[in-house]
Amino acid sequence: MHCGMCLPTCPTYDLTKLEQHSPRGRIALMRAIADDHLELGPAFGEEMSYCLGCLACETACPAGVDYAHLFEVARADVEKSGVMDNPVRSSIRTALLKILFTHPRLLRLVGRMLWLYQATGAQWLFRRLGLTRLLPAKLRKLEPITPVVLPKFSHQLIRPVEKPADGTRYRVGLLTGCVQDLVFADINRDTADVLLANGCEVVTPPVQPCCGSIHGHNGEHAVAQEMARRMIDLFDPFAFDAIITNAAGCGSHLKHYGRLLADDRDYAVRAREWDRKLKDVNEWLVETGFRVPVSEAAESQKVTYHEACHLCHGQKITRQPREILQAIPGVELTELPESDWCCGSAGVYNITQPETAAILQERKVGKIASTGAAVVATCNPGCHLQLVNGMRQAGLDIRVTQPVTLLARAYRAQSPRG
Ligand code: SF4
Ligand code: SF4
């Protein structure tokens, strides 16, 4: 089927109006390679790198084409073929994907060093003295978007096991993520508090591996499988009512461990159970009937909601975060035009394709500003950072947060125990 229903939903096609930059064009390229009508070369690699992986095309497709899977396989083929390899790219990929994001303690150490650099004022001085000019051109562009690392990481804020004060209804595992752990550990704490307030015993292992989503989305299939095995070893899915994530990009990958490990005799059964138990926090709260905070306590604010692609398109979760926001007293939810249009973060897209990412970021910030909201909520650390940077660059005083954080605040305001 070549209907083209996906074309108007595709941000890269919208920018260039070129068929090759559309979902239909990319699928045609994938098919041509699979049928040996086209050789897998650098042009194909670049096309796959230009695709955001936002999956808007998947939502639009009436034929149910599983673009996410096709895209992941295509990126893995590109990496296997080596057509994009050069020494700099290979070293960066090895350092990031195979070393840093496979060793959680090392990642924390790097996070700690970055925190020291920021907290001691060294970053401020570096910028003030104009030393950023000495950086290579690509790094110079990225330097201003370096995320602010928090002084405490998740294991310093959340105990390995926490029990709800008013009796246990469920036992859940809480995933702390990797970027989320360094930059948004406070949101992990908020997530734990909200789960506790809703009768969940929360199990949070202090050292957690990366879930492998960054590997899966970037063509490192074998490493993604290894990370999935490690995660399943850490959280036995049969021991929990649910395993909770609050990062949409991770969740969209985490829900497919079954497919990833389908041929693994030792893990296939647990991986299928894992898929059944894996829940985005918004999904879980609505499914189990979350406690609505009482009215008097919460602050009044106009809030809008940006949909992370991997939540709305990847996991088809659209209603639940809005339900949570609407239930918070004082929150006036105002719809964001193009709420499900990608903000340009898309994993590492704002690093690999900064120009396109910046165009999408600007478009998103403009739409948010048009709502007149004081706060924008979103459910993914990548989008969160992209929006924070976008607001700063545009000189806008619009706060970025997560629905779960607003809910946690409302609970805390009504009761010191949360
Ligand atoms: S994933 Fe997003 S950018 Fe890629 S083809 Fe689909 S809609 Fe276009
Ligand atoms: S991917 Fe789906 S929506 Fe896009 S052209 Fe093919 S069938 Fe149509």
Side-chain angles (χ1 to χ4, degrees):
M1 203 166 151
H2 307 288
C3 64
M5 298 275 283
C6 52
L7 267 59
T9 69
C10 174
T12 54
Y13 177 75
D14 183 72
L15 279 173
T16 67
K17 297 288 185 280
L18 293 175
E19 177 73 12
Q20 75 187 79
H21 296 153
S22 78
R24 188 173 60 182
R26 289 178 177 128
I27 292 170
L29 286 175
M30 292 175 201
R31 176 167 293 169
I33 287 168
D35 293 346
D36 278 336
H37 294 149
L38 190 75
E39 205 176 313
L40 197 167
F44 181 70
E46 269 154 31
E47 192 48 62
M48 289 306 113
S49 157
Y50 190 51
C51 171
L52 292 145
C54 70
L55 310 183
C57 49
E58 208 175 275
T59 299
C61 178
V65 169
D66 186 351
Y67 186 85
H69 188 51
L70 294 175
F71 179 57
E72 211 165 290
V73 170
R75 278 207 170 163
D77 287 346
V78 169
E79 293 313 318
K80 247 188 278 158
S81 71
V83 289
M84 301 294 281
D85 284 354
N86 64 53
V88 175
R89 183 179 186 272
S90 302
S91 326
I92 293 174
R93 281 181 69 90
T94 303
L96 287 180
L97 297 180
K98 296 193 176 155
I99 300 177
L100 196 56
F101 279 94
T102 55
H103 294 88
R105 285 195 172 88
L106 179 64
L107 186 63
R108 267 189 196 153
L109 181 66
V110 171
R112 186 58 68 218
M113 283 159 51
L114 194 53
W115 173 77
L116 265 175
Y117 168 68
Q118 293 171 341
T120 56
Q123 183 181 48
W124 177 84
L125 199 63
F126 188 75
R127 287 175 175 174
R128 197 63 201 233
L129 295 175
L131 296 177
T132 45
R133 271 178 298 140
L134 304 176
L135 294 171
K138 206 153 186 179
L139 273 185
R140 195 163 57 238
K141 277 197 193 142
L142 293 176
E143 199 279 336
I145 63 166
T146 315
V148 177
V149 176
L150 292 184
K152 286 190 176 172
F153 300 155
S154 304
H155 66 294
Q156 296 164 300
L157 297 175
I158 309 170
R159 290 189 299 282
V161 180
E162 296 195 13
K163 290 184 188 289
D166 300 326
T168 300
R169 285 162 66 207
Y170 304 102
R171 184 167 190 262
V172 304
L174 175 59
L175 303 179
T176 50
C178 24
V179 174
Q180 179 87 3
D181 181 30
L182 306 189
V183 183
F184 296 119
D186 51 345
I187 297 175
N188 285 339
R189 180 66 255 177
D190 292 337
T191 306
D193 284 344
V194 164
L195 292 167
L196 289 165
N198 283 283
C200 300
E201 176 184 333
V202 182
V203 179
T204 315
V207 182
Q208 300 189 17
C210 167
C211 68
S213 95
I214 190 167
H215 307 95
H217 295 156
N218 286 286
E220 294 292 345
H221 185 68
V223 189
Q225 284 180 317
E226 185 47 35
M227 303 318 283
R229 287 187 199 102
R230 283 206 226 163
M231 204 57 124
I232 291 173
D233 285 342
L234 191 63
F235 291 90
D236 174 7
F238 288 103
F240 294 101
D241 294 302
I243 300 159
I244 305 291
T245 178
N246 55 16
C250 305
S252 166
H253 174 79
L254 283 156
K255 284 181 171 174
H256 297 292
Y257 276 4
R259 183 166 68 197
L260 196 61
L261 298 176
D263 298 328
D264 187 319
R265 265 191 328 184
D266 298 328
Y267 283 85
V269 173
R270 276 182 292 160
R272 278 201 300 276
E273 181 66 7
W274 171 283
D275 287 2
R276 228 170 53 76
K277 298 281 174 70
L278 204 287
K279 302 280 177 189
D280 174 80
V281 64
N282 298 282
E283 179 184 21
W284 171 254
L285 288 170
V286 170
E287 202 172 293
T288 54
F290 69 100
R291 182 153 65 82
V292 174
V294 292
S295 53
E296 305 86 47
E299 54 186 308
S300 293
Q301 51 199 355
K302 194 167 176 182
V303 177
T304 193
Y305 174 60
H306 160 65
E307 309 200 62
C309 299
H310 281 254
L311 198 64
C312 65
H313 302 305
Q315 299 180 60
K316 311 292 180 235
I317 294 175
T318 57
R319 173 181 52 85
Q320 297 89 331
R322 289 180 168 90
E323 246 177 69
I324 290 173
L325 289 169
Q326 273 162 339
I328 300 173
V331 164
E332 181 198 335
L333 181 64
T334 175
E335 268 303 318
L336 174 65
E338 295 185 355
S339 63
D340 64 352
W341 196 257
C342 181
C343 66
S345 167
V348 289
Y349 197 85
N350 53 0
I351 298 172
T352 57
Q353 304 280 346
E355 288 85 13
T356 307
I359 294 171
L360 293 170
Q361 182 186 43
E362 211 175 298
R363 178 169 174 160
K364 180 62 67 178
V365 167
K367 297 288 176 197
I368 294 169
S370 76
T371 64
V375 176
V376 54
T378 191
C379 302
N380 190 50
C383 307
H384 196 141
L385 288 173
Q386 181 83 341
L387 297 184
V388 167
N389 285 324
M391 297 307 163
R392 188 175 37 76
Q393 281 157 22
L396 289 170
D397 185 22
I398 299 176
R399 210 153 46 82
V400 187
T401 189
Q402 277 234 6
V404 78
T405 289
L406 294 177
L407 185 59
R409 283 201 194 134
Y411 285 152
R412 277 183 213 125
Q414 75 187 51
S415 143
R417 272 183 313 161

